[in-house]
Coordinates of all heavy atoms in Angstrom, one line a residue:
M9 N -8.6 -13.7 -4.5 CA -8.7 -12.4 -4.2 C -8.1 -12.2 -2.8 O -8.6 -12.8 -1.9 CB -10.1 -11.8 -4.4 CG -10.1 -10.3 -4.1 SD -11.6 -9.6 -4.7 CE -11.4 -7.9 -4.1
V10 N -7.3 -11.3 -2.7 CA -6.7 -11.1 -1.4 C -7.5 -10.1 -0.6 O -7.8 -9.0 -1.1 CB -5.2 -10.5 -1.4 CG1 -4.7 -10.2 -0.2 CG2 -4.3 -11.4 -2.3
T11 N -7.8 -10.4 0.7 CA -8.8 -9.6 1.4 C -8.1 -9.0 2.7 O -8.6 -8.0 3.2 CB -10.0 -10.3 1.9 OG1 -9.6 -11.5 2.7 CG2 -10.8 -10.8 0.7
D12 N -7.0 -9.5 3.2 CA -6.4 -9.0 4.4 C -5.6 -7.6 4.0 O -5.1 -7.6 2.9 CB -5.6 -10.0 5.1 CG -4.2 -10.3 4.5 OD1 -4.3 -10.7 3.3 OD2 -3.2 -10.3 5.0
S13 N -5.3 -6.8 4.9 CA -4.6 -5.5 4.5 C -3.2 -5.8 4.1 O -2.7 -5.1 3.2 CB -4.6 -4.5 5.7 OG -4.1 -5.1 6.8
V14 N -2.5 -6.7 4.6 CA -1.1 -6.9 4.3 C -1.1 -7.6 2.9 O -0.2 -7.1 2.0 CB -0.4 -8.0 5.3 CG1 0.9 -8.3 4.8 CG2 -0.2 -7.2 6.6
G15 N -2.0 -8.5 2.6 CA -2.0 -9.0 1.2 C -2.4 -8.0 0.3 O -1.8 -7.9 -0.9
R16 N -3.3 -7.1 0.5 CA -3.6 -6.1 -0.3 C -2.5 -5.1 -0.6 O -2.2 -4.6 -1.7 CB -4.8 -5.3 0.1 CG -6.2 -6.2 0.0 CD -7.3 -5.4 0.5 NE -7.5 -4.1 0.1 CZ -7.6 -3.0 0.9 NH1 -7.5 -3.2 2.2 NH2 -7.7 -1.8 0.4
F17 N -1.8 -4.7 0.4 CA -0.7 -3.8 0.4 C 0.5 -4.5 -0.5 O 1.0 -3.8 -1.5 CB -0.1 -3.6 1.8 CG 1.2 -2.8 1.8 CD1 1.2 -1.6 1.3 CD2 2.3 -3.4 2.4 CE1 2.4 -0.8 1.3 CE2 3.6 -2.6 2.4 CZ 3.6 -1.4 1.8
L18 N 0.8 -5.8 -0.2 CA 1.6 -6.5 -1.0 C 1.3 -6.5 -2.5 O 2.3 -6.3 -3.4 CB 2.0 -7.8 -0.5 CG 2.7 -8.0 0.7 CD1 2.7 -9.4 1.3 CD2 4.1 -7.4 0.8
A19 N 0.2 -6.6 -2.9 CA -0.4 -6.7 -4.2 C -0.3 -5.3 -4.9 O -0.1 -5.2 -6.0 CB -1.9 -7.2 -4.2
A20 N -0.3 -4.2 -4.2 CA -0.2 -3.0 -4.7 C 1.3 -2.6 -5.0 O 1.5 -1.6 -5.7 CB -0.7 -1.9 -3.7
L21 N 2.1 -3.3 -4.5 CA 3.6 -3.0 -4.7 C 4.1 -3.6 -6.0 O 3.6 -4.5 -6.6 CB 4.4 -3.6 -3.4 CG 4.2 -3.1 -2.1 CD1 5.0 -4.0 -1.1 CD2 4.7 -1.6 -2.0
D22 N 5.2 -2.9 -6.5 CA 5.8 -3.5 -7.7 C 6.6 -4.8 -7.3 O 6.8 -5.0 -6.1 CB 6.7 -2.5 -8.4 CG 8.0 -2.1 -7.4 OD1 8.9 -3.0 -7.3 OD2 7.9 -1.0 -6.8
P23 N 6.9 -5.5 -8.2 CA 7.4 -7.0 -8.0 C 8.7 -6.9 -7.0 O 8.9 -7.7 -6.1 CB 7.9 -7.6 -9.2 CG 6.8 -6.9 -10.1 CD 6.7 -5.6 -9.6
D24 N 9.6 -6.0 -7.2 CA 10.9 -6.0 -6.5 C 10.4 -5.5 -4.9 O 11.1 -6.1 -4.1 CB 11.9 -4.8 -7.1 CG 12.5 -5.4 -8.3 OD1 12.4 -6.5 -8.6 OD2 12.8 -4.5 -9.2
H25 N 9.7 -4.6 -4.7 CA 9.3 -4.1 -3.5 C 8.5 -5.2 -2.8 O 8.7 -5.4 -1.6 CB 8.6 -2.8 -3.4 CG 9.5 -1.7 -3.7 ND1 9.3 -0.9 -4.8 CD2 10.5 -1.1 -2.9 CE1 10.3 0.1 -4.7 NE2 11.0 0.0 -3.6
R26 N 7.6 -5.9 -3.5 CA 6.8 -6.9 -3.0 C 7.7 -8.0 -2.3 O 7.4 -8.5 -1.3 CB 5.9 -7.6 -4.1 CG 4.9 -8.5 -3.6 CD 4.0 -9.0 -4.7 NE 3.4 -8.0 -5.4 CZ 3.3 -7.8 -6.6 NH1 4.0 -8.6 -7.5 NH2 2.8 -6.7 -7.3
K27 N 8.8 -8.4 -3.1 CA 9.7 -9.4 -2.6 C 10.3 -8.9 -1.4 O 10.6 -9.7 -0.4 CB 10.7 -9.8 -3.7 CG 11.6 -10.9 -3.3 CD 12.6 -11.3 -4.4 CE 13.5 -12.4 -4.1 NZ 14.3 -12.7 -5.3
T28 N 10.9 -7.8 -1.3 CA 11.5 -7.2 -0.1 C 10.6 -7.1 1.0 O 11.0 -7.6 2.1 CB 12.2 -5.7 -0.5 OG1 13.0 -5.9 -1.5 CG2 12.9 -5.2 0.6
I29 N 9.4 -6.5 0.9 CA 8.5 -6.3 2.0 C 7.9 -7.7 2.5 O 7.8 -8.0 3.6 CB 7.3 -5.5 1.7 CG1 7.9 -4.0 1.2 CG2 6.3 -5.4 2.8 CD1 8.7 -3.3 2.2
G30 N 7.8 -8.7 1.5 CA 7.4 -10.0 1.8 C 8.3 -10.7 2.6 O 7.9 -11.6 3.4
A31 N 9.5 -10.4 2.7 CA 10.6 -11.0 3.5 C 10.7 -10.5 4.9 O 11.4 -11.1 5.7 CB 12.1 -11.0 2.8
M32 N 10.0 -9.3 5.1 CA 10.1 -8.7 6.4 C 9.4 -9.5 7.4 O 8.3 -10.4 7.0 CB 9.5 -7.3 6.3 CG 10.5 -6.4 5.6 SD 9.6 -4.8 5.6 CE 11.0 -3.7 5.2
P33 N 9.5 -9.3 8.8 CA 8.7 -9.9 9.8 C 7.2 -9.5 9.5 O 7.0 -8.3 9.1 CB 9.2 -9.5 11.0 CG 10.6 -9.0 10.7 CD 10.6 -8.6 9.3
R34 N 6.3 -10.3 9.9 CA 4.9 -10.1 9.8 C 4.4 -8.8 10.5 O 3.7 -8.0 9.9 CB 4.0 -11.1 10.3 CG 2.5 -11.0 10.2 CD 2.1 -11.1 8.8 NE 0.7 -10.8 8.7 CZ -0.2 -11.0 7.7 NH1 0.5 -11.4 6.5 NH2 -1.4 -10.8 7.6
E35 N 5.0 -8.5 11.6 CA 4.8 -7.3 12.4 C 5.0 -6.0 11.6 O 4.3 -5.0 11.5 CB 5.4 -7.3 13.8 CG 5.0 -6.0 14.6 CD 5.7 -6.2 15.9 OE1 5.6 -7.2 16.5 OE2 6.2 -5.2 16.5
E36 N 6.2 -6.0 10.9 CA 6.6 -4.8 10.1 C 5.7 -4.7 8.9 O 5.2 -3.6 8.5 CB 8.0 -5.0 9.6 CG 9.0 -4.8 10.9 CD 10.5 -4.9 10.3 OE1 10.8 -4.3 9.3 OE2 11.2 -5.6 11.0
Q37 N 5.2 -5.8 8.3 CA 4.4 -5.7 7.2 C 3.0 -5.1 7.6 O 2.5 -4.4 7.1 CB 4.1 -7.3 6.6 CG 5.3 -7.7 6.0 CD 5.1 -9.2 5.6 OE1 3.9 -9.8 5.6 NE2 6.2 -9.9 5.1
E38 N 2.5 -5.6 8.8 CA 1.3 -5.1 9.3 C 1.4 -3.6 9.6 O 0.4 -2.9 9.2 CB 0.9 -5.8 10.6 CG 0.4 -7.3 10.3 CD 0.3 -8.1 11.5 OE1 0.5 -7.6 12.7 OE2 -0.3 -9.2 11.3
Q39 N 2.6 -3.1 10.1 CA 2.7 -1.7 10.3 C 2.7 -0.9 8.9 O 2.0 0.2 8.8 CB 4.0 -1.4 11.1 CG 3.9 -1.9 12.5 CD 5.3 -1.8 13.1 OE1 6.3 -1.5 12.6 NE2 5.3 -2.1 14.4
L40 N 3.4 -1.3 8.0 CA 3.4 -0.7 6.6 C 1.9 -0.8 6.0 O 1.5 0.2 5.3 CB 4.4 -1.2 5.7 CG 5.8 -1.1 6.1 CD1 6.8 -2.0 5.2 CD2 6.2 0.3 5.8
A41 N 1.3 -1.9 6.2 CA -0.1 -2.0 5.6 C -1.0 -1.1 6.3 O -1.9 -0.3 5.7 CB -0.6 -3.4 5.8
A42 N -0.8 -0.8 7.5 CA -1.7 0.1 8.3 C -1.4 1.5 7.8 O -2.4 2.3 7.6 CB -1.5 0.0 9.9
A43 N -0.2 1.8 7.7 CA 0.3 3.1 7.2 C -0.4 3.4 5.7 O -0.8 4.5 5.4 CB 1.7 3.4 7.2
W44 N -0.3 2.3 4.9 CA -0.9 2.4 3.5 C -2.4 2.6 3.6 O -2.9 3.5 2.8 CB -0.5 1.1 2.9 CG -1.1 0.9 1.5 CD1 -0.8 1.4 0.4 CD2 -2.1 -0.1 1.2 NE1 -1.6 0.9 -0.7 CE2 -2.4 0.0 -0.2 CE3 -2.9 -1.0 2.0 CZ2 -3.4 -0.9 -0.8 CZ3 -3.9 -1.8 1.3 CH2 -4.0 -1.6 -0.1
E45 N -3.1 2.0 4.4 CA -4.5 2.2 4.5 C -4.8 3.6 5.0 O -5.7 4.2 4.5 CB -5.2 1.1 5.5 CG -5.3 -0.1 4.8 CD -5.9 -1.2 5.8 OE1 -6.1 -1.0 6.9 OE2 -6.4 -2.2 5.0
R46 N -4.0 4.1 6.0 CA -4.2 5.5 6.4 C -4.1 6.5 5.3 O -4.8 7.3 5.1 CB -3.4 5.8 7.7 CG -3.7 5.2 9.0 CD -3.1 5.7 10.1 NE -1.7 5.5 10.1 CZ -1.0 4.3 10.5 NH1 -1.7 3.4 10.9 NH2 0.3 4.3 10.4
E47 N -3.0 6.1 4.5 CA -2.7 7.0 3.3 C -3.9 7.1 2.4 O -4.2 8.1 1.8 CB -1.5 6.6 2.6 CG -1.0 7.5 1.5 CD -0.3 8.7 1.9 OE1 0.0 9.0 3.0 OE2 -0.3 9.7 1.0
L48 N -4.4 5.8 2.1 CA -5.5 5.8 1.2 C -6.9 6.5 1.7 O -7.5 7.1 0.9 CB -6.0 4.3 1.0 CG -5.1 3.6 -0.1 CD1 -5.3 2.1 0.2 CD2 -5.1 4.0 -1.5
E49 N -7.0 6.4 3.0 CA -8.1 7.2 3.5 C -8.0 8.8 3.7 O -9.0 9.4 3.6 CB -8.5 6.6 4.9 CG -8.9 5.2 5.0 CD -9.1 4.6 6.4 OE1 -8.7 5.3 7.3 OE2 -9.3 3.4 6.5
A50 N -6.9 9.0 4.0 CA -6.6 10.5 4.3 C -6.4 11.4 3.1 O -6.7 12.6 3.1 CB -5.5 10.8 5.3
D51 N -5.7 10.8 2.0 CA -5.3 11.7 0.9 C -6.5 11.9 -0.1 O -6.9 10.9 -0.8 CB -4.1 11.1 0.3 CG -3.5 12.2 -0.7 OD1 -4.2 12.6 -1.6 OD2 -2.3 12.3 -0.6
T52 N -6.9 13.0 -0.3 CA -8.1 13.3 -1.1 C -7.7 13.3 -2.6 O -8.6 12.9 -3.5 CB -8.7 14.8 -0.9 OG1 -7.6 15.8 -1.2 CG2 -9.3 14.9 0.4
E53 N -6.4 13.4 -3.0 CA -6.0 13.2 -4.3 C -6.2 11.8 -4.7 O -6.6 11.5 -5.9 CB -4.6 13.6 -4.5 CG -4.3 15.2 -4.5 CD -2.7 15.3 -4.7 OE1 -1.9 14.4 -5.1 OE2 -2.3 16.5 -4.3
L54 N -5.9 10.9 -3.8 CA -6.1 9.5 -4.1 C -7.6 9.1 -4.2 O -7.8 8.2 -5.0 CB -5.5 8.6 -2.9 CG -4.0 8.6 -2.9 CD1 -3.5 7.9 -1.7 CD2 -3.4 8.1 -4.1
D55 N -8.5 9.9 -3.7 CA -10.0 9.5 -3.8 C -10.3 9.7 -5.3 O -11.0 9.0 -5.9 CB -10.8 10.6 -3.0 CG -10.8 10.2 -1.5 OD1 -10.3 9.1 -1.1 OD2 -11.1 11.1 -0.7
T56 N -9.7 10.9 -5.9 CA -10.1 11.0 -7.4 C -9.5 10.0 -8.1 O -10.1 9.4 -9.0 CB -9.6 12.4 -7.6 OG1 -10.0 13.4 -7.0 CG2 -9.9 12.7 -9.2
L57 N -8.2 9.6 -7.9 CA -7.6 8.5 -8.6 C -8.3 7.1 -8.4 O -8.4 6.5 -9.3 CB -6.1 8.5 -8.3 CG -5.3 7.3 -9.0 CD1 -5.3 7.7 -10.4 CD2 -3.8 7.5 -8.4
D58 N -8.8 6.9 -7.2 CA -9.4 5.7 -6.8 C -10.7 5.6 -7.7 O -11.1 4.5 -8.1 CB -9.7 5.7 -5.4 CG -10.4 4.3 -4.9 OD1 -9.7 3.3 -5.4 OD2 -11.4 4.3 -4.4
E59 N -11.3 6.7 -7.9 CA -12.5 6.6 -8.9 C -12.3 6.2 -10.2 O -13.1 5.5 -10.9 CB -13.3 8.0 -8.8 CG -14.0 8.3 -7.4 CD -14.6 9.7 -7.5 OE1 -14.8 10.3 -8.5 OE2 -14.9 10.2 -6.5
L60 N -11.1 6.7 -10.7 CA -10.7 6.2 -12.0 C -10.1 4.9 -12.2 O -10.3 4.1 -13.1 CB -9.7 7.3 -12.6 CG -10.2 8.7 -12.7 CD1 -9.1 9.8 -13.0 CD2 -11.4 8.9 -13.6
S61 N -9.2 4.6 -11.2 CA -8.5 3.4 -11.2 C -8.1 2.9 -9.8 O -7.0 3.4 -9.3 CB -7.2 3.4 -12.1 OG -6.5 2.2 -12.0
P62 N -9.0 2.2 -9.1 CA -8.5 1.7 -7.7 C -7.1 1.2 -7.6 O -6.3 1.5 -6.7 CB -9.6 0.7 -7.4 CG -10.8 1.0 -8.1 CD -10.2 1.6 -9.6
P63 N -6.8 0.2 -8.6 CA -5.3 -0.3 -8.5 C -4.3 0.8 -8.5 O -3.2 0.7 -7.8 CB -5.2 -1.3 -9.6 CG -6.7 -1.8 -9.9 CD -7.4 -0.4 -9.6
A64 N -4.5 1.8 -9.4 CA -3.4 2.8 -9.4 C -3.4 3.7 -8.2 O -2.4 4.1 -7.7 CB -3.8 3.8 -10.7
A65 N -4.5 4.0 -7.5 CA -4.5 4.7 -6.2 C -3.8 3.8 -5.3 O -3.0 4.4 -4.4 CB -5.9 5.0 -5.8
E66 N -4.1 2.6 -5.2 CA -3.4 1.6 -4.1 C -1.8 1.7 -4.5 O -1.1 1.7 -3.5 CB -4.0 0.4 -4.2 CG -5.4 0.3 -3.6 CD -6.1 -1.1 -3.7 OE1 -5.5 -2.0 -4.3 OE2 -7.1 -1.3 -3.1
A67 N -1.4 1.5 -5.7 CA -0.1 1.5 -6.0 C 0.6 2.9 -5.6 O 1.7 2.9 -5.2 CB 0.1 1.3 -7.5
E68 N -0.1 4.0 -6.0 CA 0.4 5.3 -5.5 C 0.6 5.4 -4.0 O 1.6 6.0 -3.5 CB -0.4 6.4 -6.1 CG 0.0 7.8 -5.6 CD 1.4 8.3 -6.1 OE1 1.9 7.6 -7.1 OE2 1.9 9.3 -5.4
A69 N -0.4 5.0 -3.3 CA -0.3 5.1 -1.8 C 0.9 4.3 -1.4 O 1.7 4.6 -0.4 CB -1.7 4.6 -1.2
A70 N 1.1 3.0 -1.9 CA 2.1 2.2 -1.5 C 3.5 2.8 -1.8 O 4.4 2.7 -1.0 CB 2.0 0.8 -2.2
R71 N 3.6 3.4 -3.0 CA 4.9 4.1 -3.3 C 5.2 5.2 -2.3 O 6.3 5.3 -1.9 CB 4.7 4.7 -4.7 CG 6.1 5.4 -5.3 CD 5.8 6.2 -6.5 NE 4.8 7.2 -6.3 CZ 5.2 8.3 -5.7 NH1 6.4 8.6 -5.3 NH2 4.3 9.4 -5.7
R72 N 4.1 6.0 -1.9 CA 4.3 7.0 -0.9 C 4.8 6.4 0.4 O 5.8 6.9 1.1 CB 3.1 7.8 -0.7 CG 2.7 8.6 -2.0 CD 1.4 9.3 -1.7 NE 0.9 10.0 -2.8 CZ -0.2 10.7 -2.9 NH1 -0.9 10.8 -1.9 NH2 -0.5 11.3 -4.0
I73 N 4.3 5.4 0.9 CA 4.6 4.8 2.2 C 6.1 4.3 2.1 O 6.9 4.6 3.1 CB 3.8 3.6 2.4 CG1 2.3 4.0 2.7 CG2 4.2 2.8 3.7 CD1 2.2 5.2 3.8
L74 N 6.4 3.7 1.1 CA 7.9 3.3 0.9 C 8.8 4.3 0.7 O 10.0 4.2 1.1 CB 8.0 2.3 -0.3 CG 7.3 1.0 -0.2 CD1 7.4 0.1 -1.5 CD2 7.6 0.1 0.9
E75 N 8.5 5.6 0.3 CA 9.4 6.7 0.2 C 9.6 7.3 1.6 O 10.6 8.0 1.8 CB 8.8 7.7 -0.7 CG 8.9 7.3 -2.2 CD 8.4 8.5 -3.1 OE1 7.8 9.4 -2.6 OE2 8.7 8.4 -4.3
R76 N 8.8 7.0 2.5 CA 8.9 7.7 3.9 C 10.0 6.9 4.7 O 10.5 6.0 4.7 CB 7.6 7.6 4.7 CG 6.6 8.5 4.0 CD 5.4 8.4 4.8 NE 4.4 9.2 4.1 CZ 3.0 9.1 4.3 NH1 2.6 8.2 5.1 NH2 2.2 9.8 3.6

């Protein structure tokens, strides 16, 4: 089980994005993971989804971060 924020962020991504982000420098990965965690904490819609399916909420937050 992955416990660091970058690992959790990468796990929430679809395989194609996981490969692309995984090839980035660690610093960039950490910045994206931090933005992902902020998205998870700040968005109340994700709170509801998180209660139903934590992996779905994490994947949705990751998708939003990549769209920015």
Side-chain angles (χ1 to χ4, degrees):
M9 182 170 175
V10 180
T11 58
D12 74 309
S13 62
V14 171
R16 288 180 42 242
F17 174 62
L18 291 173
L21 296 170
D22 63 75
D24 290 336
H25 285 113
R26 187 177 307 127
K27 185 176 180 180
T28 301
I29 302 301
M32 290 180 164
R34 180 70 180 189
E35 184 176 313
E36 289 181 45
Q37 292 176 8
E38 289 172 352
Q39 290 172 354
L40 288 170
W44 172 72
E45 287 187 340
R46 287 190 300 273
E47 182 75 17
L48 283 170
E49 291 173 3
D51 193 306
T52 56
E53 287 180 19
L54 291 175
D55 287 342
T56 303
L57 182 57
D58 187 50
E59 290 177 15
L60 300 173
S61 175
E66 291 179 350
E68 174 62 17
R71 184 190 62 77
R72 292 177 184 182
I73 294 304
L74 294 179
E75 285 182 349
R76 291 185 187 156

